[in-house]
């Protein structure tokens, strides 16, 4: 009655299918559906998260790594964030704005983590990291390639003492190659990858996206890779090494733009809010704002023309197919733009409602978080921080049927959990911890 668990290789049951056969043969369940129902009905806790029991040693700073570990923490993993004594994660100083002494940038991507402050230049500090790695499932870092190996904390060093570890490195350009030793920041990788080349006004200068999409994409890739690594470990009984980097993440995300060049030799260019291969698919200026409308097929285009009272346009042979609309883009967009400018954004929103055509306003951030759907999707996450007070950050993007990502722990202070982690996770004695504190190997933030 405490639930049924299917574990990894070299066990009695190696797959869901085999377990279903086992149940059908020996327990007389008529189908695997009944087995799944049993699993659900016998769960001890209806809010068990998938990564509960997984420990992640987080040696990352700034955005890509912290974003990945925040997602893992939302899913139940215990995140132990290792920071430099004194200054901590660089983003703690990235402001304004600040909430008290905490930067909002740092607060936005570091919930559900414990912070320990460890001096990695100390041999005792290196020993602490090795001891933690031996009891953790995942180690994730974003140092310049080779730096941790110089300290004795590279993958090969950690693998010797923790062969089970899933070790994920995040870098600017990869662990090897002609650019591997360069420092990597989002805006630079955004430029080198070509994303900046295709972003901005059609006849204007290249533009950096408003948020660090290259960092965020790398964080998402890293989070998924770590999940895959944990599954692989269940199959092999061994850990593995993962190489994630900003350049590869962003180049992979170029998708069809890259394929246009690789397959057809077609160089990309900037299109503003428009789409190279779909017309209409862009923002239109209204009386008081902007409305984005996308007609992905001929039927949707006809509906757009009907809403705009431009049925003659939908009957025009120059615009009968998407390919023709792309060829005659300028003339068509001029006609549509003139009509959109005649009404307010709200007027058009009401006219498009229920049409089946994708549409929406260009919202300010204030308006975004006033959108009923944003509120319905629980995308505002509120927490009480020990020094900053009440804070709110964007909530998780994904919701699950069997558990909720609720009651998040606020982002930690530098070294807030140092003594707790050393004592409970590593079993260090109080006297030894006091020696480490006195030597400056570690620091502990004491709450008032």
């Amino acid at each position: 009655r405490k639930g049924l668990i299917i574990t990894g290789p070299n066990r009695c049951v190696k797959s869901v299918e085999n377990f279903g056969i086992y149940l059908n043969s020996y327990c007389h369940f008529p189908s695997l559906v009944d087995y799944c129902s049993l699993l659900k009905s016998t769960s001890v806790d209806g809010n068990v998260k998938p990564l509960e029991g997984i420990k992640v040693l987080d040696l990352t700073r700034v955005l890509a790594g912290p974003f990945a570990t925040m997602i893992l923490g939302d899913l139940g993993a215990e995140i132990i964030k290792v920071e430099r004594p004194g200054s901590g994660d660089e983003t703690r100083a990235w402001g304004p704005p600040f909430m008290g002494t905490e930067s909002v940038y740092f607060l936005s991507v570091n919930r559900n983590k414990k912070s320990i402050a460890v001096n990695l230049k100390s041999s005792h500090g290196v020993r602490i990291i090795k001891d933690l790695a031996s009891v953790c499932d995942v180690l994730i870092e974003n140092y310049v390639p080779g730096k941790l190996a110089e300290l004795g904390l590279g993958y090969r060093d950690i693998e010797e003492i923790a062969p089970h570890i899933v070790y994920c490195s995040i870098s600017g350009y990869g662990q090897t190659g002609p650019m591997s030793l360069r420092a990597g920041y989002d805006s630079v990788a955004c430029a080198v990858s070509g994303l900046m080349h295709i972003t901005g006004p059609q006849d204007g200068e290249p533009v950096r996206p408003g948020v660090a999409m290259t960092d965020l994409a790398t964080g998402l890739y890293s989070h998924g890779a770590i999940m895959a690594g944990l599954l692989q470990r269940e199959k092999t009984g061994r850990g593995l090494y993962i190489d994630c980097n900003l350049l590869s993440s962003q180049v992979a995300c170029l998708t069809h733009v890259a394929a246009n060049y690789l397959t057809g030799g077609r160089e990309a260019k900037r299109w503003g809010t428009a789409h190279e291969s779909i017309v209409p698919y862009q923002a239109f200026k209204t009386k008081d704002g902007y409305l984005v409308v996308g007609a992905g097929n001929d039927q949707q285009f006809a509906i757009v023309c009907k809403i705009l009272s431009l049925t003659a346009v939908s009957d025009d042979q120059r615009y009968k197919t998407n390919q023709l609309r792309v060829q005659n883009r300028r003339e068509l967009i001029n006609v549509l733009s003139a009509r959109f400018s005649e009404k307010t954004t709200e007027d058009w929103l009401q006219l498009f409602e229920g049409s089946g055509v994708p549409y929406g306003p260009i919202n300010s951030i204030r308006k975004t978080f006033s959108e009923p759907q944003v509120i319905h999707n629980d995308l505002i996450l509120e927490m009480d921080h020990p020094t900053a007070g009440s804070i709110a950050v964007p909530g998780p993007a994904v919701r699950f049927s069997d558990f909720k990502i609720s009651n998040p722990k606020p982002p930690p202070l530098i070294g807030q959990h140092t003594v707790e982690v050393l004592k409970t996770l590593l079993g260090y004695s109080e006297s030894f911890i006091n020696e480490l504190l006195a030597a400056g190997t570690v620091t502990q933030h004491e709450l008032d």
Side-chain angles (χ1 to χ4, degrees):
R1 299 299 295 175
K2 290 192 178 291
L4 301 169
I5 299 174
I6 301 175
T7 56
N10 306 318
R11 311 289 172 90
C12 292
V13 180
K14 297 185 178 180
S15 71
V16 170
E17 290 78 13
N18 288 346
F19 196 61
I21 294 170
Y22 168 81
L23 285 173
N24 290 340
S25 301
Y26 295 97
C27 301
H28 307 293
F29 286 98
S31 71
L32 190 56
V33 173
D34 289 336
Y35 145 69
C36 294
S37 299
L38 176 68
L39 274 180
K40 193 167 184 178
S41 67
T42 56
S43 174
V44 176
D45 184 350
N47 202 40
V48 174
K49 296 178 181 177
L51 294 185
E52 285 184 10
I54 296 294
K55 294 179 175 62
V56 177
L57 185 57
D58 181 6
L59 278 73
T60 67
R61 302 94 65 211
V62 188
L63 184 55
F67 188 60
T69 55
M70 181 181 70
I71 298 171
L72 297 174
D74 284 342
L75 296 176
E78 181 179 359
I79 311 298
I80 302 163
K81 182 178 180 70
V82 180
E83 299 192 71
R84 182 188 300 113
S87 57
D89 189 315
E90 290 94 317
T91 60
R92 288 184 182 273
W94 286 10
F98 291 94
M99 291 291 290
T101 59
E102 299 294 323
S103 82
V104 173
Y105 196 117
F106 177 84
L107 295 175
S108 70
V109 289
N110 283 287
R111 64 176 175 265
N112 290 324
K113 300 177 184 181
K114 296 178 179 179
S115 171
I116 65 170
V118 182
N119 180 6
L120 297 187
K121 295 180 180 179
S122 160
S123 59
H124 289 299
V126 171
R127 182 71 258 169
I128 290 170
I129 300 303
K130 288 185 174 181
D131 287 348
L132 285 169
S134 69
V135 297
C136 285
D137 301 277
V138 176
L139 187 153
I140 178 170
E141 57 90 11
N142 65 346
Y143 283 76
V144 173
K147 183 63 177 177
L148 284 185
E150 292 176 6
L151 298 174
L153 295 173
Y155 174 61
R156 295 304 175 194
D157 303 299
I158 299 300
E159 184 188 29
E160 288 184 5
I161 58 172
H164 66 278
I165 203 82
V166 174
Y167 191 117
C168 178
S169 292
I170 298 176
S171 62
Y173 305 97
Q175 296 298 305
T176 58
M179 299 172 66
S180 61
L181 296 182
R182 291 189 191 179
Y185 267 0
D186 171 271
S187 60
V188 180
C190 175
V192 176
S193 68
L195 177 61
M196 204 176 286
H197 172 72
I198 61 174
T199 305
Q202 187 170 354
D203 299 318
E205 298 294 320
V207 172
R208 173 185 173 273
V211 294
M213 288 308 304
T214 302
D215 267 344
L216 296 172
T218 305
L220 287 170
Y221 271 119
S222 301
H223 142 257
I226 289 169
M227 299 285 275
L230 291 170
L231 287 172
Q232 179 77 344
R233 188 179 70 178
E234 282 296 302
K235 296 179 179 179
T236 66
R238 303 186 307 275
L240 77 167
Y241 181 73
I242 298 169
D243 176 1
C244 289
N245 65 84
L246 304 184
L247 179 65
S248 295
S249 296
Q250 190 53 70
V251 170
C253 285
L254 294 177
T255 57
H256 69 281
V257 174
N260 286 346
Y261 170 75
L262 294 173
T263 302
R266 184 172 181 174
E267 180 57 84
K269 64 178 184 178
R270 291 181 286 283
W271 286 97
T273 65
H275 195 291
E276 178 182 16
S277 304
I278 307 172
V279 176
Y281 193 120
Q282 66 180 74
F284 294 95
K285 188 171 176 55
T286 67
K287 267 188 174 182
D288 60 351
Y290 293 89
L291 184 76
V292 175
V293 175
N297 56 52
D298 298 337
Q299 181 181 1
Q300 288 180 344
F301 175 65
I303 295 172
V304 170
C305 291
K306 183 178 180 181
I307 292 172
L308 271 61
S309 298
L310 293 173
T311 52
V313 173
S314 65
D315 294 333
D316 193 317
Q317 291 302 312
R318 292 175 298 172
Y319 312 131
K320 273 297 184 182
T321 68
N322 180 67
Q323 185 173 352
L324 289 170
R325 291 192 291 275
V326 170
Q327 292 172 5
N328 298 287
R329 177 193 301 266
R330 186 180 299 275
E331 299 92 330
L332 175 57
I333 294 304
N334 285 342
V335 172
L336 298 181
S337 295
R339 183 55 58 89
F340 274 111
S341 67
E342 296 174 2
K343 296 180 183 293
T344 66
T345 301
E346 184 59 36
D347 290 338
W348 288 120
L349 290 174
Q350 292 179 17
L351 288 169
F352 273 89
E353 179 67 30
S355 66
V357 174
Y359 70 97
I362 294 183
N363 281 333
S364 66
I365 302 302
R366 179 188 296 274
K367 287 185 177 179
T368 294
F369 285 100
S370 299
E371 280 280 2
Q373 191 65 48
V374 170
I375 296 170
H376 173 80
N377 287 357
D378 294 327
L379 288 172
I380 303 173
L381 197 61
E382 297 179 330
M383 294 171 281
D384 289 322
H385 188 273
T387 62
S390 178
I391 63 172
V393 299
V398 179
R399 295 189 289 180
F400 299 84
S401 63
D402 284 2
F403 67 93
K404 291 184 178 180
I405 300 174
S406 55
N407 302 317
K409 296 182 178 65
L413 304 170
I414 301 172
Q416 181 179 342
H417 306 92
T418 301
V419 172
E420 173 192 333
V421 168
L422 297 182
K423 186 179 294 184
T424 61
L425 216 57
L426 299 183
Y428 285 4
S429 68
E430 188 170 337
S431 60
F432 183 49
I433 292 173
N434 287 336
E435 289 178 18
L436 294 172
L437 290 167
T441 303
V442 301
T443 59
Q444 168 70 36
H445 194 293
E446 298 294 345
L447 293 173
D448 294 334

